[in-house]
Short mmCIF file of all heavy atoms in Angstrom, two decimals:
data_model
loop_
_atom_site.label_atom_id
_atom_site.label_comp_id
_atom_site.label_asym_id
_atom_site.label_seq_id
_atom_site.Cartn_x
_atom_site.Cartn_y
_atom_site.Cartn_z
N MET A 24 40.31 -15.77 22.27
CA MET A 24 39.68 -15.44 21.11
C MET A 24 40.37 -14.26 20.40
O MET A 24 40.86 -13.36 21.08
CB MET A 24 38.20 -15.05 21.41
CG MET A 24 37.40 -14.63 20.23
SD MET A 24 35.71 -14.24 20.60
CE MET A 24 35.02 -15.83 20.83
N THR A 25 40.44 -14.28 19.09
CA THR A 25 41.05 -13.21 18.37
C THR A 25 40.29 -11.92 18.51
O THR A 25 39.07 -11.95 18.34
CB THR A 25 41.20 -13.62 16.89
OG1 THR A 25 41.85 -14.91 16.78
CG2 THR A 25 42.02 -12.58 16.24
N GLU A 26 40.99 -10.89 18.70
CA GLU A 26 40.30 -9.57 18.85
C GLU A 26 40.89 -8.68 17.63
O GLU A 26 41.96 -8.86 17.17
CB GLU A 26 40.70 -8.89 20.09
CG GLU A 26 40.24 -9.67 21.33
CD GLU A 26 38.72 -9.59 21.55
OE1 GLU A 26 38.13 -8.55 21.04
OE2 GLU A 26 38.23 -10.40 22.31
N TYR A 27 40.02 -7.88 17.22
CA TYR A 27 40.31 -6.97 16.10
C TYR A 27 40.02 -5.51 16.49
O TYR A 27 39.19 -5.30 17.31
CB TYR A 27 39.49 -7.25 14.82
CG TYR A 27 39.79 -8.69 14.19
CD1 TYR A 27 39.10 -9.74 14.70
CD2 TYR A 27 40.70 -8.73 13.20
CE1 TYR A 27 39.40 -11.02 14.14
CE2 TYR A 27 40.95 -10.01 12.69
CZ TYR A 27 40.32 -11.08 13.16
OH TYR A 27 40.55 -12.33 12.56
N GLU A 28 40.71 -4.65 15.85
CA GLU A 28 40.32 -3.17 16.01
C GLU A 28 39.65 -2.81 14.69
O GLU A 28 40.33 -3.03 13.62
CB GLU A 28 41.54 -2.32 16.27
CG GLU A 28 41.13 -0.86 16.43
CD GLU A 28 42.40 0.04 16.75
OE1 GLU A 28 43.41 -0.15 16.22
OE2 GLU A 28 42.13 0.85 17.62
N PHE A 29 38.44 -2.32 14.75
CA PHE A 29 37.79 -1.77 13.63
C PHE A 29 37.95 -0.36 13.56
O PHE A 29 37.77 0.37 14.50
CB PHE A 29 36.22 -2.23 13.80
CG PHE A 29 35.34 -1.46 12.81
CD1 PHE A 29 35.45 -1.66 11.46
CD2 PHE A 29 34.42 -0.55 13.22
CE1 PHE A 29 34.61 -1.02 10.57
CE2 PHE A 29 33.48 0.15 12.37
CZ PHE A 29 33.74 -0.16 11.03
N ILE A 30 38.28 0.13 12.35
CA ILE A 30 38.41 1.55 12.12
C ILE A 30 37.51 1.93 10.92
O ILE A 30 37.72 1.46 9.80
CB ILE A 30 39.83 1.97 11.78
CG1 ILE A 30 40.74 1.51 12.87
CG2 ILE A 30 39.95 3.54 11.55
CD1 ILE A 30 42.25 1.63 12.58
N CYS A 31 36.36 2.68 11.20
CA CYS A 31 35.37 2.99 10.22
C CYS A 31 35.95 3.89 9.18
O CYS A 31 36.61 4.99 9.48
CB CYS A 31 34.15 3.53 10.83
SG CYS A 31 32.95 3.96 9.71
N PRO A 32 35.84 3.62 7.93
CA PRO A 32 36.26 4.53 6.82
C PRO A 32 35.45 5.80 6.64
O PRO A 32 35.91 6.76 6.09
CB PRO A 32 36.27 3.66 5.59
CG PRO A 32 35.08 2.69 5.88
CD PRO A 32 35.27 2.39 7.37
N GLU A 33 34.25 5.81 7.25
CA GLU A 33 33.41 6.96 7.13
C GLU A 33 33.47 7.82 8.23
O GLU A 33 33.55 9.08 8.13
CB GLU A 33 31.89 6.41 6.91
CG GLU A 33 31.64 5.91 5.56
CD GLU A 33 31.75 6.88 4.42
OE1 GLU A 33 31.31 8.06 4.65
OE2 GLU A 33 32.39 6.61 3.41
N CYS A 34 33.27 7.36 9.53
CA CYS A 34 33.13 8.16 10.70
C CYS A 34 34.48 8.15 11.60
O CYS A 34 34.49 8.83 12.56
CB CYS A 34 31.94 7.83 11.56
SG CYS A 34 32.06 6.22 12.30
N ASP A 35 35.46 7.33 11.15
CA ASP A 35 36.78 7.19 11.85
C ASP A 35 36.68 6.73 13.28
O ASP A 35 37.52 6.86 14.04
CB ASP A 35 37.50 8.60 11.80
CG ASP A 35 37.91 8.97 10.45
OD1 ASP A 35 38.24 8.03 9.63
OD2 ASP A 35 38.06 10.13 10.15
N GLN A 36 35.47 6.15 13.57
CA GLN A 36 35.39 5.50 14.93
C GLN A 36 36.31 4.27 14.98
O GLN A 36 36.38 3.51 14.05
CB GLN A 36 33.87 5.11 15.16
CG GLN A 36 33.60 4.71 16.49
CD GLN A 36 33.47 5.78 17.56
OE1 GLN A 36 34.13 5.79 18.56
NE2 GLN A 36 32.77 6.87 17.14
N GLN A 37 36.98 4.17 16.16
CA GLN A 37 37.74 2.99 16.37
C GLN A 37 37.14 2.18 17.46
O GLN A 37 36.91 2.66 18.52
CB GLN A 37 39.20 3.40 16.82
CG GLN A 37 39.93 4.13 15.68
CD GLN A 37 41.36 4.47 16.01
OE1 GLN A 37 41.97 3.87 16.89
NE2 GLN A 37 41.95 5.44 15.27
N ILE A 38 36.92 0.82 17.24
CA ILE A 38 36.10 -0.03 18.15
C ILE A 38 36.94 -1.32 18.19
O ILE A 38 37.21 -1.95 17.18
CB ILE A 38 34.68 -0.23 17.63
CG1 ILE A 38 33.96 1.09 17.30
CG2 ILE A 38 33.92 -1.07 18.68
CD1 ILE A 38 32.62 0.93 16.70
N ASP A 39 37.14 -1.74 19.41
CA ASP A 39 37.68 -3.14 19.60
C ASP A 39 36.53 -4.15 19.45
O ASP A 39 35.50 -4.03 20.10
CB ASP A 39 38.36 -3.25 20.94
CG ASP A 39 39.61 -2.47 21.11
OD1 ASP A 39 40.33 -2.22 20.09
OD2 ASP A 39 39.87 -1.99 22.25
N VAL A 40 36.73 -5.17 18.61
CA VAL A 40 35.66 -6.09 18.30
C VAL A 40 36.24 -7.53 18.40
O VAL A 40 37.45 -7.79 18.24
CB VAL A 40 35.05 -5.85 17.00
CG1 VAL A 40 34.40 -4.49 16.93
CG2 VAL A 40 36.04 -6.04 15.82
N ASN A 41 35.36 -8.51 18.78
CA ASN A 41 35.71 -9.88 18.72
C ASN A 41 35.24 -10.44 17.37
O ASN A 41 34.64 -9.72 16.50
CB ASN A 41 35.27 -10.69 19.96
CG ASN A 41 33.78 -10.59 20.06
OD1 ASN A 41 33.06 -10.26 19.13
ND2 ASN A 41 33.31 -10.78 21.32
N VAL A 42 35.43 -11.72 17.15
CA VAL A 42 35.12 -12.39 15.82
C VAL A 42 33.63 -12.21 15.56
O VAL A 42 33.30 -11.79 14.40
CB VAL A 42 35.65 -13.77 15.81
CG1 VAL A 42 35.03 -14.53 14.60
CG2 VAL A 42 37.16 -13.86 15.81
N PRO A 43 32.63 -12.53 16.47
CA PRO A 43 31.30 -12.50 16.04
C PRO A 43 30.90 -11.02 15.78
O PRO A 43 30.07 -10.81 14.85
CB PRO A 43 30.53 -12.98 17.32
CG PRO A 43 31.51 -13.79 18.04
CD PRO A 43 32.88 -13.23 17.81
N VAL A 44 31.35 -10.04 16.49
CA VAL A 44 31.08 -8.66 16.17
C VAL A 44 31.69 -8.26 14.85
O VAL A 44 31.06 -7.45 14.09
CB VAL A 44 31.50 -7.74 17.31
CG1 VAL A 44 31.26 -6.21 17.01
CG2 VAL A 44 30.77 -8.08 18.59
N ARG A 45 32.87 -8.69 14.54
CA ARG A 45 33.49 -8.47 13.25
C ARG A 45 32.62 -8.94 12.12
O ARG A 45 32.37 -8.24 11.23
CB ARG A 45 34.86 -9.13 13.18
CG ARG A 45 35.54 -8.91 11.85
CD ARG A 45 36.92 -9.63 11.93
NE ARG A 45 37.70 -9.50 10.72
CZ ARG A 45 37.61 -10.28 9.64
NH1 ARG A 45 36.74 -11.21 9.60
NH2 ARG A 45 38.43 -10.01 8.57
N GLU A 46 32.09 -10.19 12.24
CA GLU A 46 31.25 -10.74 11.29
C GLU A 46 29.96 -9.98 11.09
O GLU A 46 29.53 -9.76 9.97
CB GLU A 46 30.88 -12.24 11.59
CG GLU A 46 32.14 -13.14 11.59
CD GLU A 46 32.89 -13.25 10.26
OE1 GLU A 46 32.18 -13.28 9.19
OE2 GLU A 46 34.06 -13.12 10.26
N ALA A 47 29.37 -9.59 12.16
CA ALA A 47 28.13 -8.78 12.12
C ALA A 47 28.41 -7.37 11.50
O ALA A 47 27.56 -6.92 10.70
CB ALA A 47 27.59 -8.59 13.58
N THR A 48 29.52 -6.84 11.81
CA THR A 48 29.84 -5.54 11.22
C THR A 48 30.12 -5.63 9.69
O THR A 48 29.58 -4.82 8.95
CB THR A 48 31.03 -4.93 11.89
OG1 THR A 48 30.81 -4.81 13.30
CG2 THR A 48 31.42 -3.52 11.26
N LEU A 49 30.77 -6.73 9.24
CA LEU A 49 30.88 -6.96 7.82
C LEU A 49 29.59 -7.14 7.12
O LEU A 49 29.34 -6.72 6.06
CB LEU A 49 31.77 -8.16 7.61
CG LEU A 49 33.32 -7.96 7.88
CD1 LEU A 49 33.99 -9.31 7.88
CD2 LEU A 49 33.98 -7.04 6.79
N SER A 50 28.63 -7.79 7.83
CA SER A 50 27.36 -8.03 7.17
C SER A 50 26.43 -6.79 7.22
O SER A 50 25.67 -6.56 6.28
CB SER A 50 26.62 -9.15 7.98
OG SER A 50 27.30 -10.36 7.89
N HIS A 51 26.46 -6.01 8.35
CA HIS A 51 25.39 -4.97 8.58
C HIS A 51 26.03 -3.60 8.45
O HIS A 51 25.21 -2.67 8.49
CB HIS A 51 24.74 -5.21 9.90
CG HIS A 51 24.13 -6.54 10.04
ND1 HIS A 51 23.08 -6.99 9.22
CD2 HIS A 51 24.42 -7.60 10.84
CE1 HIS A 51 22.68 -8.31 9.58
NE2 HIS A 51 23.55 -8.64 10.55
N GLY A 52 27.29 -3.44 8.45
CA GLY A 52 27.91 -2.14 8.37
C GLY A 52 28.34 -1.61 9.71
O GLY A 52 28.21 -2.23 10.75
N CYS A 53 28.97 -0.41 9.70
CA CYS A 53 29.48 0.20 10.94
C CYS A 53 28.37 0.40 11.97
O CYS A 53 27.30 0.88 11.67
CB CYS A 53 30.09 1.55 10.53
SG CYS A 53 30.55 2.58 11.94
N PRO A 54 28.60 -0.04 13.20
CA PRO A 54 27.57 0.12 14.23
C PRO A 54 27.25 1.53 14.61
O PRO A 54 26.27 1.75 15.25
CB PRO A 54 28.16 -0.66 15.43
CG PRO A 54 29.66 -0.74 15.18
CD PRO A 54 29.80 -0.71 13.70
N VAL A 55 28.11 2.43 14.25
CA VAL A 55 27.94 3.85 14.56
C VAL A 55 27.19 4.58 13.47
O VAL A 55 26.16 5.26 13.74
CB VAL A 55 29.27 4.52 14.92
CG1 VAL A 55 29.05 5.99 15.21
CG2 VAL A 55 29.97 3.85 16.07
N CYS A 56 27.61 4.50 12.21
CA CYS A 56 27.17 5.24 11.20
C CYS A 56 26.51 4.41 10.05
O CYS A 56 25.81 5.00 9.16
CB CYS A 56 28.18 6.15 10.53
SG CYS A 56 29.41 5.30 9.47
N GLY A 57 26.65 3.07 10.07
CA GLY A 57 25.97 2.22 9.11
C GLY A 57 26.74 2.06 7.78
O GLY A 57 26.18 1.44 6.91
N ALA A 58 27.88 2.64 7.59
CA ALA A 58 28.70 2.55 6.44
C ALA A 58 29.05 1.09 6.15
O ALA A 58 29.38 0.33 7.01
CB ALA A 58 29.92 3.37 6.52
N SER A 59 29.11 0.73 4.81
CA SER A 59 29.51 -0.61 4.39
C SER A 59 31.06 -0.62 4.65
O SER A 59 31.79 0.32 4.35
CB SER A 59 29.29 -0.77 2.91
OG SER A 59 27.92 -0.73 2.66
N VAL A 60 31.47 -1.80 5.17
CA VAL A 60 32.86 -1.93 5.51
C VAL A 60 33.32 -3.28 4.89
O VAL A 60 32.54 -4.17 4.60
CB VAL A 60 33.18 -1.91 7.01
CG1 VAL A 60 32.71 -0.52 7.54
CG2 VAL A 60 32.56 -2.98 7.77
N SER A 61 34.64 -3.45 4.74
CA SER A 61 35.22 -4.73 4.33
C SER A 61 36.39 -5.10 5.26
O SER A 61 36.68 -4.36 6.16
CB SER A 61 35.74 -4.63 2.86
OG SER A 61 36.75 -3.62 2.75
N SER A 62 36.93 -6.28 5.01
CA SER A 62 37.94 -6.85 5.94
C SER A 62 39.12 -5.99 6.05
O SER A 62 39.82 -6.05 7.07
CB SER A 62 38.33 -8.23 5.46
OG SER A 62 38.84 -8.23 4.15
N GLU A 63 39.39 -5.09 5.13
CA GLU A 63 40.62 -4.22 5.21
C GLU A 63 40.45 -3.19 6.26
O GLU A 63 41.39 -2.55 6.61
CB GLU A 63 40.78 -3.56 3.88
CG GLU A 63 39.80 -2.51 3.52
CD GLU A 63 39.91 -2.08 2.02
OE1 GLU A 63 40.21 -2.90 1.17
OE2 GLU A 63 39.80 -0.86 1.82
N HIS A 64 39.24 -2.96 6.84
CA HIS A 64 38.91 -1.98 7.90
C HIS A 64 39.11 -2.61 9.28
O HIS A 64 38.94 -1.91 10.26
CB HIS A 64 37.58 -1.42 7.64
CG HIS A 64 37.43 -0.77 6.35
ND1 HIS A 64 36.46 -1.10 5.48
CD2 HIS A 64 38.18 0.25 5.75
CE1 HIS A 64 36.53 -0.37 4.37
NE2 HIS A 64 37.62 0.45 4.53
N PHE A 65 39.58 -3.84 9.34
CA PHE A 65 39.86 -4.49 10.63
C PHE A 65 41.36 -4.79 10.73
O PHE A 65 42.00 -5.37 9.75
CB PHE A 65 39.09 -5.81 10.74
CG PHE A 65 37.62 -5.58 10.76
CD1 PHE A 65 36.92 -5.43 9.62
CD2 PHE A 65 36.93 -5.51 11.99
CE1 PHE A 65 35.44 -5.29 9.66
CE2 PHE A 65 35.54 -5.30 12.03
CZ PHE A 65 34.83 -5.10 10.86
N VAL A 66 41.94 -4.55 11.88
CA VAL A 66 43.22 -4.85 12.15
C VAL A 66 43.35 -5.90 13.31
O VAL A 66 42.72 -5.64 14.32
CB VAL A 66 44.05 -3.61 12.59
CG1 VAL A 66 45.59 -3.93 12.90
CG2 VAL A 66 44.02 -2.49 11.44
N GLU A 67 44.01 -6.98 12.99
CA GLU A 67 44.11 -8.05 14.05
C GLU A 67 45.00 -7.54 15.21
O GLU A 67 46.13 -6.99 14.92
CB GLU A 67 44.72 -9.28 13.39
CG GLU A 67 44.55 -10.51 14.31
CD GLU A 67 44.88 -11.80 13.58
OE1 GLU A 67 44.81 -11.84 12.34
OE2 GLU A 67 45.22 -12.73 14.25
N GLN A 68 44.51 -7.73 16.39
CA GLN A 68 45.24 -7.23 17.70
C GLN A 68 46.34 -8.16 18.02
O GLN A 68 46.12 -9.39 17.96
CB GLN A 68 44.26 -7.02 18.77
CG GLN A 68 43.28 -5.97 18.43
CD GLN A 68 43.84 -4.60 18.39
OE1 GLN A 68 44.17 -3.96 19.40
NE2 GLN A 68 44.00 -3.99 17.18
ZN1 LIG B 119 31.06 4.54 10.90
#
């Protein structure tokens, strides 16, 4: 499964995520601070 690294633009938290978590984060925002994020904040591993 493809893994991504999420880097929050607001709180600078770096989190390794899989595809379902990436989708959830895009829908609901950063799991740490709740900031809205877009696909540019994910780097494919
Ligand atoms: Zn955040």
Side-chain angles (χ1 to χ4, degrees):
M24 180 179 284
T25 306
E26 300 283 341
Y27 294 87
E28 182 177 40
F29 167 64
I30 305 171
C31 180
E33 285 296 317
C34 68
D35 291 330
Q36 190 72 230
Q37 298 185 17
I38 307 170
D39 291 330
V40 298
N41 58 21
V42 170
V44 175
R45 178 181 183 274
E46 295 300 316
T48 303
L49 285 168
S50 296
H51 303 296
C53 173
V55 177
C56 73
S59 296
V60 302
S61 61
S62 57
E63 70 191 41
H64 301 120
F65 293 85
V66 179
E67 194 169 337
Q68 298 291 286

